[in-house]
């Protein structure tokens, strides 16, 4: 089923997607503006990415219009271009504006190494929910060392419109009681297993480790990453998981400005020496059999 999302308000705006934009006037009466993913002949899937076509309906059962998604806004809305990508551009949002407000916008697909909210991170005082950690707090590595938190990055994802690739590892899925509770991470976030940094998407077995269906997620979801001075392996629900590595950059995070204030200019983090596994075909056969993982790579959209 193609993903869809509804918004209460539509607006014209000035500015260019990817930078700061300014709200101008509201269009139409407040009512559901429903955007539905369209299967593009050029991208071959029903996942919504920037420059994909979407169908816009101004009320349930109303006429369908072909728009193109051009960006996301900092208020959780979307920027679309009418006329199948050749006409005027508009913003659809659940926030009521009167005109003159400024928003930042993003024209890149989310790409993160993050924990879901509520994930218990080991600290010297016991597990703490990741979203409550603050710079200066200390967390425990898998080797029992204390390291300081430099920054907790936050990123708002929109699972109902984008395939954000979230993976849920059920309690005990890795054996030996790990994770201690259900653990949800983004698919590119790596766990240390048998000396290998294995990205969570590789571990999907359709049973104890699953790709989280978009229909089971809210319209927006905030995920978090923990940045420490080095690329460390810390404990999330007692499971060894990597801290942030700057391969994807920090600019996509909601609070990047906070990073610049706290830490300074972006820095390079040397990656830890453990080999990284990005495909099920790279897993040792014994690990695949133990965790019930198919040899072919799993598809994380649902």
């Amino acid at each position: 089923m193609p993903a869809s999302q509804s918004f209460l308000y539509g607006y014209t705006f000035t500015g260019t997607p990817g930078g700061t934009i300014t709200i101008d006037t509201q269009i139409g009466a407040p009512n559901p503006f429903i955007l539905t993913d369209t299967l593009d002949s050029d991208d071959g899937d029903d996942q919504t990415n920037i420059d994909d076509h979407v169908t816009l309906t101004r009320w349930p059962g109303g006429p369908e219009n072909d728009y193109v998604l051009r960006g996301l806004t900092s208020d959780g809305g979307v920027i679309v271009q009418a006329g199948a990508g050749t006409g005027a551009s508009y913003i659809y949002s659940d926030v009521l504006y009167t005109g003159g407000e400024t928003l930042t916008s993003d024209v890149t697909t989310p790409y993160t190494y993050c924990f879901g909210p509520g994930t218990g991170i080991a600290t010297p005082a016991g597990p703490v929910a990741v979203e409550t950690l603050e710079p200066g707090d200390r967390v425990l590595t898998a080797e029992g060392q204390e390291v300081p938190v430099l920054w907790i990055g936050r990123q708002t994802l929109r699972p109902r419109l984008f395939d954000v690739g979230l993976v849920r590892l059920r309690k005990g899925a890795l054996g030996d009681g790990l994770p201690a509770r259900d653990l949800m991470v983004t698919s590119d976030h790596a766990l240390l297993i048998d000396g290998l940094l294995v990205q969570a998407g590789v571990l999907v077995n359709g049973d104890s480790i699953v790709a989280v269906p978009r229909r089971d997620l809210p319209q927006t979801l905030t995920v978090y990453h923990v940045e420490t001075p080095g690329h460390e392996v810390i404990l999330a629900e007692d499971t060894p998981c990597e801290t942030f590595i700057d391969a994807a950059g920090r600019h996509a995070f909601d609070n990047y400005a906070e990073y610049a204030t706290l830490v300074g200019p972006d820095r390079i983090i040397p990656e830890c020496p453990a080999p990284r596994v990005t495909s099920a075909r790279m897993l040792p056969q014994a690990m695949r059999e133990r965790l019930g993982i198919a040899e072919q790579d799993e598809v994380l959209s649902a």
Side-chain angles (χ1 to χ4, degrees):
M1 173 68 71
S4 64
Q5 186 171 5
S6 63
F7 299 92
L8 288 175
Y9 307 103
Y11 302 95
T12 60
F13 69 95
T14 55
T16 303
T20 299
I21 53 182
T22 302
I23 298 290
D24 291 331
T25 58
Q26 187 179 141
I27 56 174
N31 57 37
F33 296 93
I34 304 168
L35 274 71
T36 303
D37 197 347
T38 304
L39 181 61
D40 287 349
S41 59
D42 59 345
D43 74 3
D45 60 31
D46 67 350
Q47 300 173 14
T48 313
N49 300 298
I50 301 300
D51 296 330
D52 275 5
H53 287 256
V54 293
T55 298
L56 183 136
T57 306
R58 295 208 171 200
W59 56 84
E64 297 182 348
N65 302 278
D66 187 5
Y67 280 54
V68 170
L69 185 71
R70 295 303 190 197
L72 308 175
T73 65
S74 55
D75 69 345
V78 296
I79 303 170
V80 295
Q81 188 174 16
T86 63
S89 293
Y90 303 97
I91 289 173
Y92 292 96
S93 169
D94 284 327
V95 180
L96 177 61
Y97 293 114
T98 58
E101 296 89 349
T102 59
L103 305 172
T104 57
S105 60
D106 174 30
V107 294
T108 61
T109 301
Y111 179 65
T112 60
Y113 301 80
C114 299
F115 296 104
T119 300
I121 304 297
T123 75
V128 172
V130 63
E131 63 268 32
T132 67
L133 287 171
E134 296 182 356
D137 289 347
R138 304 187 77 80
V139 295
L140 294 177
T141 70
E143 297 178 345
Q145 298 176 332
E146 296 183 21
V147 294
V149 172
L150 289 185
W151 183 52
I152 299 296
R154 303 188 308 271
Q155 186 172 24
T156 301
L157 305 180
R158 297 165 181 86
R160 294 293 181 87
L161 193 62
F162 285 85
D163 178 21
V164 297
L166 293 170
V167 174
R168 176 176 286 112
L169 295 90
R170 302 196 188 282
K171 178 180 177 180
L174 300 177
D176 296 326
L178 300 179
R181 298 191 307 160
D182 284 8
L183 173 64
M184 186 170 70
V185 296
T186 51
S187 61
D188 291 313
H189 198 125
L191 292 71
L192 186 68
I193 305 174
D194 297 347
L196 303 174
L197 281 173
V198 184
Q199 293 187 177
V202 174
L203 296 169
V204 169
N205 60 18
D207 182 17
S208 58
I209 305 171
V210 296
V212 183
R214 284 187 281 188
R215 63 179 178 272
D216 292 348
L217 294 168
Q219 287 196 359
T220 60
L221 175 72
T222 301
V223 292
Y224 304 84
H225 88 71
V226 180
E227 182 166 341
T228 55
H231 184 211
E232 304 285 355
V233 176
I234 60 175
L235 297 174
E237 304 299 352
D238 292 343
T239 304
C241 296
E242 68 178 342
T243 57
F244 178 71
I245 184 70
D246 56 334
R250 302 174 180 87
H251 289 267
F253 288 92
D254 300 348
N255 59 333
Y256 171 72
E258 178 187 76
Y259 177 88
T261 300
L262 289 171
V263 183
D266 282 4
R267 64 193 187 95
I268 302 299
I269 304 175
E271 193 163 359
C272 78
R276 181 176 291 272
V277 175
T278 59
S279 165
R281 289 183 290 270
M282 298 170 63
L283 287 174
Q285 181 65 30
M287 187 186 301
R288 284 205 301 263
E289 292 176 356
R290 185 174 81 241
L291 299 180
I293 300 168
E295 293 191 18
Q296 70 274 12
D297 292 336
E298 298 287 346
V299 177
L300 292 183
S301 61

